[in-house]
Amino acid sequence: MGKPRTYKVGFRIAELESQDFHTVLDVKISGIRVRAVLDTGASHSCIDRTFVEQRLPDNRPENVQGVNAGIGGSDFEVLATTVEDFRIGHFRIERLENLAVIDFKHINEAYKIVGMKPVHFILGNDFLVMHKAIIDYTLNRMYFTK
């Protein structure tokens, strides 16, 4: 087996308020272009529940067990799903599994207030660690391997 391939993906820095930054990038899920947030503080990659219900109607999220800490506290239902054909730049994953399905309503309401478009995906540490991501904020690029 040869050397792992390195992929390069550009991102944008969005300033929501003074000194409040989000790292935004585009991904494709089942051929649908989606705005995503790169979140090094998120344990798991997440997808918006409304996006799944409206744009991926055949997708059936399932309840999962485990520690439910993070967005919104620690007492909430956790759903997970698998999406087909996940793409970030030229990198493709046929089946991206174990995505947390959460309601992004509060995130997108905050984005709307500051004039930003909604997001429907959070790229978390599960992906970043698995693919040995290097984030370069000087060049606004992320490098990772498959």
Side-chain angles (χ1 to χ4, degrees):
M1 188 169 201
K3 182 180 176 183
R5 180 167 176 200
T6 299
Y7 294 84
K8 173 177 68 174
V9 175
F11 56 78
R12 300 170 302 286
I13 302 296
E15 188 170 13
L16 276 67
E17 297 177 306
S18 179
Q19 301 300 309
D20 184 7
F21 303 100
H22 281 199
T23 305
V24 181
L25 62 146
D26 296 314
V27 300
K28 280 191 177 180
I29 299 171
S30 300
I32 303 167
R33 185 173 171 217
V34 175
R35 286 175 43 91
V37 172
L38 172 62
D39 188 348
T40 61
S43 298
H44 299 282
S45 296
C46 307
I47 190 166
D48 179 32
R49 181 182 224 157
T50 301
F51 176 82
V52 171
E53 291 169 355
Q54 293 177 354
R55 303 295 304 269
L56 305 173
D58 295 333
N59 189 299
R60 301 284 182 240
E62 298 180 6
N63 284 312
V64 293
Q65 301 293 327
V67 177
N68 304 334
I71 298 172
S74 61
D75 185 23
F76 57 94
E77 175 186 48
V78 176
L79 298 173
T81 195
T82 297
V83 295
E84 306 296 327
D85 193 23
F86 176 81
R87 295 174 190 249
I88 178 170
H90 294 290
F91 177 69
R92 178 177 182 241
I93 299 175
E94 288 182 30
R95 291 176 48 89
L96 186 59
E97 300 178 341
N98 299 317
L99 288 174
V101 179
I102 62 172
D103 187 353
F104 280 35
K105 183 178 179 181
H106 63 286
I107 297 168
N108 286 324
E109 284 176 358
Y111 275 26
K112 186 176 182 180
I113 290 169
V114 298
M116 288 182 57
K117 295 178 183 176
V119 297
H120 299 294
F121 193 83
I122 295 173
L123 191 65
N125 270 323
D126 54 343
F127 182 92
L128 301 174
V129 170
M130 179 181 295
H131 298 288
K132 300 172 184 66
I134 298 170
I135 302 167
D136 184 338
Y137 287 102
T138 303
L139 298 175
N140 286 356
R141 293 184 186 145
M142 176 176 61
Y143 304 87
F144 56 94
T145 60
K146 185 169 184 178

